[in-house]
Amino acid sequence: NTSLQSLKLQWTRFQDWGINSLAVALKNHSTLARLSLADNSTLGDEGAIAIKDWLQMENYYITSLNLYGCGMRVDGAKLISDSIKVNSVLTSLDLGGNIIGDEGLRFLTQGLESNSSLTQLGIKNISI
């Protein structure tokens, strides 16, 4: 499909292997701008590894990524933070509903210091 611009895969109970498969399927899909994986609490920090790798790909086109309620903790926040340091395409990221706490928020702050493209960051209900 060369016209898909938005994909919502909420409540699908994705796990890290599912995210890897999705990353391969969407690798060269240059029209997809918005992806929501919200409320996939089984994704967790393991899934954040795949998301980190995905965000760091050279041919990454998604500008809006919703990871609300994906079961991420501090380690997941660090992985996402590392990826937003080098990603220059993403403009909106929602990490709300994850249990990243103060330490995870510090990691995100560090990632934002090196990022000039992100204009919206959702951090509602991150258990600070």
Side-chain angles (χ1 to χ4, degrees):
N1 186 328
T2 58
S3 60
L4 184 67
Q5 295 178 4
S6 182
L7 182 60
K8 293 182 180 182
L9 296 170
Q10 297 168 209
W11 296 97
T12 55
R13 300 187 54 82
F14 262 113
Q15 295 188 14
D16 55 340
W17 59 268
I19 276 297
N20 286 326
S21 297
L22 180 64
V24 169
L26 298 178
K27 185 175 181 181
N28 294 311
H29 204 293
S30 61
T31 61
L32 185 65
R34 293 173 303 281
L35 176 63
S36 178
L37 299 172
D39 298 311
N40 282 292
S41 61
T42 55
L43 197 60
D45 291 341
E46 296 80 17
I49 295 169
I51 293 168
K52 173 190 173 273
D53 293 342
W54 195 14
L55 287 170
Q56 292 179 341
M57 291 187 325
E58 284 184 30
N59 56 345
Y60 180 86
Y61 300 104
I62 295 173
T63 58
S64 177
L65 180 60
N66 186 347
L67 298 173
Y68 187 97
C70 284
M72 287 186 218
R73 297 185 180 275
V74 173
D75 290 343
K78 183 176 183 336
L79 291 165
I80 299 299
S81 172
D82 290 345
S83 64
I84 64 174
K85 288 178 184 176
V86 297
N87 182 294
S88 62
V89 177
L90 195 64
T91 59
S92 177
L93 175 63
D94 192 343
L95 290 171
N98 291 289
I99 307 169
I100 64 172
D102 291 338
E103 188 177 0
L105 188 56
R106 277 193 294 278
F107 285 129
L108 288 174
T109 301
Q110 292 169 1
L112 291 172
E113 289 174 357
S114 303
N115 181 290
S116 60
S117 64
L118 201 60
T119 58
Q120 294 179 336
L121 177 63
I123 54 171
K124 180 180 177 182
N125 298 327
I126 59 169
S127 300
I128 298 179

